[in-house]
Amino acid sequence: MITKFKSINNLAVFQNFSWDANIRDKGNNVVPFKKINIFYGRNYSGKTTLSRIIRALETGSISDKYENPQFEVSIHSIADANQDNLANHGKKIRVFNEDFIKDNLRFIVNSEESITPFAIIGGNATIETEIQALKDDLGVDEEDEESGFYLELKNATTIANTALQTYKNKNDSLNSQLSFKATNNPNGIKYKSEKFGDQNYNINKLQADINVVLHSKFKPSTDEEIEQKLSLLKESVNSDIQEIAKPKIDFDILNSKAKELVTKSISSSDKIEQLLKDAIINRWVKEGRQIHKDKLQNCSFCGNEISQERWEELESHFDEESEKLEKDIDHLISELDIQINRIDLIIPINKNIFYSKFHSVLDNLILKRQQLIDGIKAELIRTKKYLQIRKDDLLNPKEFVVISDKSIELEEFWTIFENLRTQANDYSNSLGSEQAEAKKILRLREISDFVETIQYVKEIAEIQDLKDSSDIETNKKKEIENKIQQQKLQIEDKERLMKDEEKGALKVNEYLNNFFGHDFLTLQALEETDKKIRFEIVRNGNKAHHLSEGECSLIAFCYFMAKLEDIETKGSKPVIWIDDPISSLDSNHIFFVYSLINAEIFAKQEFEQIFLSTHNLDFLKYLKRLPSALNKNECGYFLISRDKENSKIRIMPRYLKDYVTEFNFLFHQIYKCSTADEDDEDQHNLFYNFGNNTRKFLEAFLYYKYPNANDQLEKLTKFFGDNRQASTMTDRINNEFSHLEGLFERSMTPIDIPEMKKTATFILDKINEKDSEQYDALLMSIRIE
């Protein structure tokens, strides 16, 4: 249903109108339209302008004569309709106003024009039976009263919507997790570009990465690999690593020298036999010789003199050859010590000057280097040991085991290190791409862990199952919708067989004759040479000309009412707007218009919502008799008022809404005065207005009761009879309290409230006494029983 004119601007007499600001009840609550809505407004107050807004929703266009018109119409459960989306509401709307008359009954403006024909369902018992059977199967499409195919559709829709919502909830939940992982600030991948490498990361990219990690060939990086990648990201470009000189140890020369010295033979002639046999004694004697020679004459051990002969024997034993051998051995030992000390310094490896990418290889090289150095040391120390043994026993040659030649291994190791050093230096140029690749690897590992944590594969499978179920239920719903559509097409096909424009004309004539008694004016359906049908107004068998305004109004309204039965409208329960249908009609015709609306619209209840507007108080009185017109839950009353150039809509005042006539209103005011609390200041206005209200009421009441009386006092005397007090008090109040002219001093004195309350009681009691039926009826008219 239409709930309100939310706003109207630049539309004839409506400027900057806001419904919520103007249409509020006493509790300050916004009052919406009801199923039945009655407008009262004087001529030129804006009634037709409102009808044109609704007609724009019917036709899809609004007059281009309006300059920049703006309006919003609120419709329940549908987006607001405005001047830019007139055709999007999907409602069936039928409007009767002067634009409808101009569009469909052009003869009113030009008698040479015809009336737009329309067709209604004609008579054919067999087809009607078939149509009814199809309609019975189709069922009713009213909220909470669905039946037939519509009930099937409602149930299927509920199931489909539930299945769809379940699927959406599950899918949205997963998407929420994906979105959080991708773009949440600060925990999302997007906001960790320093680690994962993409400042523009989003859920679509996450989905692509998920597809990568779910591939059968994907293997997530190990924790150790992840640590390496994290270390790599911390690195910046290093300086070039300087070349290390190739280490050189001539193992062949060392072998040759050592072997020669260890295995060399010394001549045994002139040697002291005892010393030759015992190397320890020989070394002891040698050291003693060095201590005593040219220093001591006697032996420091035994104290005996050392003879010249003994010195000569010792000189022959410790000859120049042995001296040279010992010196050569000492020299070679010293050379070996130097090599042993230097070996730790060859091919120094500083892991810290290398990128972390190479650290694992360097760790292996460092280990291998140490093993190689330890091996070379061991060989040199072993050679040194052989030399020391020979030195300790110079006179006797020894066996010698050659040094293992490590030169090839040493050169190979140096070459490996140099290659690694070269790679490290070259790596500076590719560090950016390596770090980008490292970020990708870290991101894929992160996503792999995420997929595992949220059980992505299982979730996707469950979502797919829910989607499949939703699709199945949606297809079932569509099948029922198609079935309904086919059923409607069958109904339309059969109704098309019964289309009869002449029936439309007859319907108009039926209304003209039955409701208004105009059998001398008829509408005829005439067939042109091209088989097209046109309507024409006929008076006494001839085309009518010079129709009166009243006749035009009657024909136009009957035409509209009959058109509600056309094949485009019948059974659709449209929104109906009837704008002031009693223009130029007398009181009898006004009643007949009311009767037609009551019998053909309200009695049949073939509408979703109805709007009725009038400028005529008599017609307003009749509208209050319509079914549910007094039910405040179903019927709303509105007043359209104009102040200079602008109009507004507001809630209809009680004096118009609640009272059939002013007479009833005045009676109610007297009744309330008789029961009012004298001390209640809020009811002071009842007593202040009592003089005027009583005078006007009694003028009307006594005129019809005593039409032969000469003056008001005489009527009052007859009415009150012997109660002179009542007639006198009433006459005084009528004269003194309803006028100030000539009694200006009256305005300077307080109002006598007890006297007025007593007079009100006199009047009511006398009415009840003289005519209790009339009194009861008056009470009922003001809703007091």
Side-chain angles (χ1 to χ4, degrees):
M1 290 199 303
I2 296 172
T3 59
K4 58 185 174 182
F5 291 111
K6 188 174 182 180
S7 64
I8 310 174
N9 190 30
N10 291 335
L11 203 64
V13 293
F14 286 97
Q15 299 291 327
N16 299 316
F17 171 76
S18 169
W19 183 277
D20 290 355
N22 288 274
I23 315 298
R24 291 179 175 269
D25 61 18
K26 291 183 178 180
N28 201 33
N29 302 303
V30 175
V31 178
F33 282 134
K34 308 293 177 60
K35 181 177 181 181
I36 305 167
N37 301 279
I38 297 173
F39 290 88
Y40 174 76
R42 297 184 182 277
N43 288 330
Y44 313 113
S45 61
K47 300 188 299 300
T48 299
T49 299
L50 296 181
S51 71
R52 281 177 174 150
I53 294 175
I54 303 303
R55 182 162 169 78
L57 301 183
E58 176 186 3
T59 63
S61 64
I62 193 166
S63 172
D64 58 6
K65 300 297 188 294
Y66 293 120
E67 183 178 349
N68 189 28
Q70 297 174 353
F71 58 84
E72 292 179 280
V73 180
S74 296
I75 305 175
H76 180 66
S77 300
I78 300 175
D80 291 349
N82 57 45
Q83 66 279 353
D84 298 321
N85 64 351
L86 294 172
N88 296 344
H89 54 81
K91 292 286 185 181
K92 186 77 74 174
I93 296 175
R94 293 293 180 261
V95 175
F96 174 79
N97 64 2
E98 62 182 47
D99 295 333
F100 169 85
I101 297 172
K102 291 176 182 177
D103 290 344
N104 294 277
L105 294 95
R106 292 184 295 276
F107 83 97
I108 290 176
V109 178
N110 182 358
S111 61
E112 298 302 318
E113 294 280 358
S114 61
I115 300 175
T116 304
F118 62 88
I120 62 176
I121 301 301
N124 184 310
T126 301
I127 297 179
E128 286 182 353
T129 302
E130 293 174 354
I131 291 173
Q132 190 57 49
L134 291 171
K135 288 184 175 180
D136 290 342
D137 290 340
L138 182 62
V140 175
D141 186 22
E142 293 185 8
E143 190 173 355
D144 298 328
E145 295 182 8
E146 293 86 354
S147 63
F149 294 168
Y150 286 113
L151 181 58
E152 291 182 30
L153 177 61
K154 178 182 180 180
N155 294 334
T157 300
T158 300
I159 295 172
N161 290 345
T162 300
L164 178 62
Q165 193 59 50
T166 302
Y167 155 68
K168 284 185 175 180
N169 290 344
K170 189 75 171 177
N171 192 54
D172 290 347
S173 175
L174 178 60
N175 286 335
S176 177
Q177 293 183 76
L178 296 179
S179 178
F180 187 91
K181 188 65 179 178
T183 60
N184 174 259
N185 187 2
N187 299 314
I189 292 175
K190 175 179 180 179
Y191 294 97
K192 293 184 177 181
S193 57
E194 75 285 351
K195 181 177 181 181
F196 299 123
D198 191 345
Q199 292 180 340
N200 298 315
Y201 202 75
N202 56 39
I203 191 171
N204 293 329
K205 293 181 179 180
L206 174 60
Q207 191 64 64
D209 284 344
I210 288 175
N211 293 336
V212 171
V213 303
L214 290 179
H215 195 279
S216 58
K217 293 183 179 180
F218 175 78
K219 291 184 179 179
S221 301
T222 64
D223 292 343
E224 182 179 354
E225 291 170 336
I226 294 301
E227 287 300 322
Q228 292 174 359
K229 301 304 179 187
L230 290 172
S231 297
L232 174 60
L233 296 183
K234 297 176 182 178
E235 293 172 348
S236 56
V237 177
N238 295 338
S239 300
D240 283 350
I241 302 170
Q242 298 302 312
E243 182 179 3
I244 296 176
K246 183 187 293 185
K248 186 174 181 181
I249 300 176
D250 198 335
F251 288 95
D252 288 339
I253 293 175
L254 287 176
N255 269 321
S256 176
K257 286 182 178 180
K259 182 176 181 181
E260 179 183 356
L261 294 176
V262 172
T263 61
K264 183 177 183 178
S265 298
I266 296 178
S267 173
S268 59
S269 60
D270 298 327
K271 301 299 180 188
I272 300 173
E273 184 69 21
Q274 182 182 6
L275 297 181
L276 288 174
K277 293 179 180 179
D278 193 331
I280 295 174
I281 295 175
N282 183 73
R283 185 169 63 254
W284 180 72
V285 172
K286 181 182 178 182
E287 292 174 353
R289 172 176 167 268
Q290 292 174 344
I291 294 171
H292 290 77
K293 185 177 180 180
D294 300 328
K295 297 177 182 180
L296 298 173
Q297 294 297 319
N298 294 326
C299 174
S300 296
F301 180 74
C302 63
N304 294 321
E305 182 184 1
I306 303 173
S307 64
Q308 185 62 36
E309 182 182 0
R310 185 60 178 171
W311 281 114
E312 290 176 355
E313 290 177 350
L314 290 174
E315 289 297 327
S316 297
H317 182 81
F318 296 105
D319 57 10
E320 183 179 350
E321 182 181 10
S322 62
E323 289 286 340
K324 183 177 182 304
L325 176 60
E326 184 175 12
K327 288 180 180 180
D328 290 341
I329 289 172
D330 285 340
H331 179 75
L332 187 55
I333 287 174
S334 296
E335 186 176 337
L336 286 172
D337 284 337
I338 293 171
Q339 289 286 0
I340 290 170
N341 292 330
R342 287 179 177 176
I343 197 68
D344 285 326
L345 303 177
I346 66 171
I347 315 179
I349 298 177
N350 182 0
K351 191 168 73 169
N352 294 328
I353 65 176
F354 283 81
Y355 295 109
S356 62
K357 171 184 174 68
F358 302 99
H359 285 185
S360 60
V361 176
L362 286 169
D363 287 338
N364 290 330
L365 282 180
I366 290 171
L367 179 62
K368 186 174 181 180
R369 172 184 176 277
Q370 192 61 46
Q371 291 173 345
L372 183 58
I373 287 174
D374 290 345
I376 294 172
K377 274 186 178 181
E379 292 298 310
L380 295 178
I381 290 171
R382 182 169 61 80
T383 301
K384 179 182 174 182
K385 182 178 178 182
Y386 280 124
L387 289 171
Q388 188 65 46
I389 292 172
R390 180 60 195 270
K391 179 182 177 181
D392 291 340
D393 191 9
L394 283 173
L395 301 179
N396 298 304
K398 305 296 180 180
E399 290 185 0
F400 180 74
V401 179
V402 298
I403 302 172
S404 297
D405 192 347
K406 302 287 185 177
S407 58
I408 295 176
E409 292 181 48
L410 193 60
E411 184 173 348
E412 288 177 348
F413 180 85
W414 177 83
T415 301
I416 291 171
F417 176 79
E418 276 299 298
N419 288 336
L420 191 65
R421 182 187 67 82
T422 302
Q423 291 179 35
N425 289 340
D426 293 341
Y427 182 67
S428 296
N429 297 325
S430 61
L431 178 61
S433 59
E434 287 284 338
Q435 288 179 329
E437 181 63 22
K439 290 178 180 179
K440 178 181 178 182
I441 291 171
L442 290 170
R443 188 176 72 245
L444 292 179
R445 167 62 187 273
E446 179 78 7
I447 294 169
S448 177
D449 293 343
F450 170 70
V451 165
E452 184 68 25
T453 300
I454 68 171
Q455 296 184 306
Y456 178 83
V457 175
K458 180 182 177 183
E459 288 287 300
I460 285 293
E462 292 179 359
I463 289 172
Q464 187 59 49
D465 289 343
L466 292 174
K467 186 179 185 302
D468 292 342
S469 298
S470 175
D471 290 344
I472 290 171
E473 298 303 331
T474 299
N475 288 333
K476 288 180 181 179
K477 174 191 169 187
K478 289 181 179 178
E479 288 174 1
I480 298 174
E481 288 175 339
N482 291 335
K483 181 168 68 171
I484 289 174
Q485 189 60 33
Q486 292 301 316
Q487 195 80 348
K488 287 182 176 180
L489 290 175
Q490 289 186 58
I491 293 171
E492 289 177 5
D493 288 342
K494 292 190 177 294
E495 287 180 341
R496 199 172 291 112
L497 297 174
M498 299 178 66
K499 278 182 64 174
D500 191 343
E501 284 83 356
E502 186 175 359
K503 291 293 191 298
L506 293 176
K507 194 69 176 177
V508 175
N509 296 333
E510 176 188 333
Y511 290 153
L512 282 171
N513 188 29
N514 292 348
F515 283 89
F516 301 99
H518 282 270
D519 53 355
F520 50 87
L521 276 179
T522 59
L523 191 66
Q524 288 186 358
L526 304 178
E527 186 174 342
E528 303 284 0
T529 56
D530 58 0
K531 301 298 184 182
K532 290 185 177 179
I533 300 296
R534 65 183 176 84
F535 282 177
E536 190 173 85
I537 294 292
V538 174
R539 190 201 305 271
N540 299 324
N542 298 314
K543 182 174 181 179
H545 295 279
H546 307 300
L547 296 174
S548 69
E549 288 187 19
E551 288 174 329
C552 290
S553 296
L554 284 179
I555 293 169
F557 188 65
C558 289
Y559 176 87
F560 174 77
M561 292 296 296
K563 206 168 187 304
L564 293 178
E565 298 286 328
D566 70 8
I567 60 174
E568 300 297 329
T569 310
K570 181 68 172 176
S572 64
K573 290 208 167 188
V575 173
I576 300 173
W577 187 294
I578 299 176
D579 177 40
D580 220 350
I582 46 82
S583 177
S584 302
L585 297 180
D586 59 27
S587 59
N588 285 335
H589 287 129
I590 291 174
F591 175 78
F592 289 134
V593 168
Y594 154 75
S595 299
L596 182 56
I597 292 173
N598 189 16
E600 296 300 309
I601 297 180
F602 279 81
K604 295 179 179 179
Q605 286 292 300
E606 288 290 333
F607 65 92
E608 177 186 354
Q609 189 177 20
I610 188 167
F611 299 83
L612 299 156
S613 69
T614 184
H615 74 285
N616 186 286
L617 288 173
D618 285 339
F619 189 58
L620 176 62
K621 174 183 68 176
Y622 289 132
L623 293 180
K624 294 176 185 177
R625 300 180 184 179
L626 290 169
S628 300
L630 298 180
N631 185 334
K632 64 180 181 180
N633 294 321
E634 292 195 29
C635 185
Y637 288 84
F638 303 92
L639 180 68
I640 307 172
S641 59
R642 180 172 178 173
D643 182 11
K644 296 181 182 179
E645 298 301 321
N646 294 330
S647 288
K648 291 184 178 180
I649 309 169
R650 57 192 180 96
I651 296 175
M652 187 178 290
R654 287 193 60 195
Y655 70 85
L656 277 177
K657 175 184 174 184
D658 291 348
Y659 302 108
V660 177
T661 66
E662 185 180 8
F663 183 75
N664 300 79
F665 171 76
L666 295 171
F667 176 79
H668 195 187
Q669 295 303 301
I670 295 172
Y671 180 85
K672 289 198 292 184
C673 188
S674 71
T675 60
D677 184 356
E678 299 174 12
D679 297 325
D680 187 351
E681 293 185 359
D682 291 338
Q683 296 185 332
H684 178 75
N685 64 311
L686 289 173
F687 300 106
Y688 183 81
N689 294 319
F690 180 74
N692 273 325
N693 291 338
T694 302
R695 177 178 56 79
K696 293 170 69 177
F697 174 78
L698 289 177
E699 283 176 355
F701 179 77
L702 296 178
Y703 173 79
Y704 285 100
K705 189 167 185 63
Y706 306 112
N708 63 329
N710 294 323
D711 57 27
Q712 189 69 7
L713 181 58
E714 183 181 348
K715 294 175 184 178
L716 285 173
T717 302
K718 285 186 177 184
F719 178 63
F720 285 107
D722 295 334
N723 193 340
R724 294 289 181 180
Q725 181 186 8
S727 59
T728 301
M729 287 176 62
T730 304
D731 183 56
R732 176 172 170 268
I733 288 172
N734 286 348
N735 285 286
E736 293 185 13
F737 288 89
S738 63
H739 305 285
L740 287 179
E741 184 181 1
L743 293 170
F744 183 73
E745 67 278 3
R746 175 66 197 88
S747 63
M748 307 297 292
T749 59
I751 295 173
D752 192 346
I753 291 176
E755 182 178 349
M756 291 181 178
K757 185 171 182 180
K758 187 174 183 179
T759 302
T761 304
F762 282 156
I763 295 171
L764 296 178
D765 289 344
K766 187 55 68 174
I767 294 174
N768 189 20
E769 175 189 331
K770 287 183 172 291
D771 192 340
S772 60
E773 289 184 356
Q774 183 185 28
Y775 181 74
D776 292 340
L778 285 170
L779 288 178
M780 290 179 64
S781 74
I782 62 173
R783 301 181 185 176
I784 295 175
E785 298 181 4

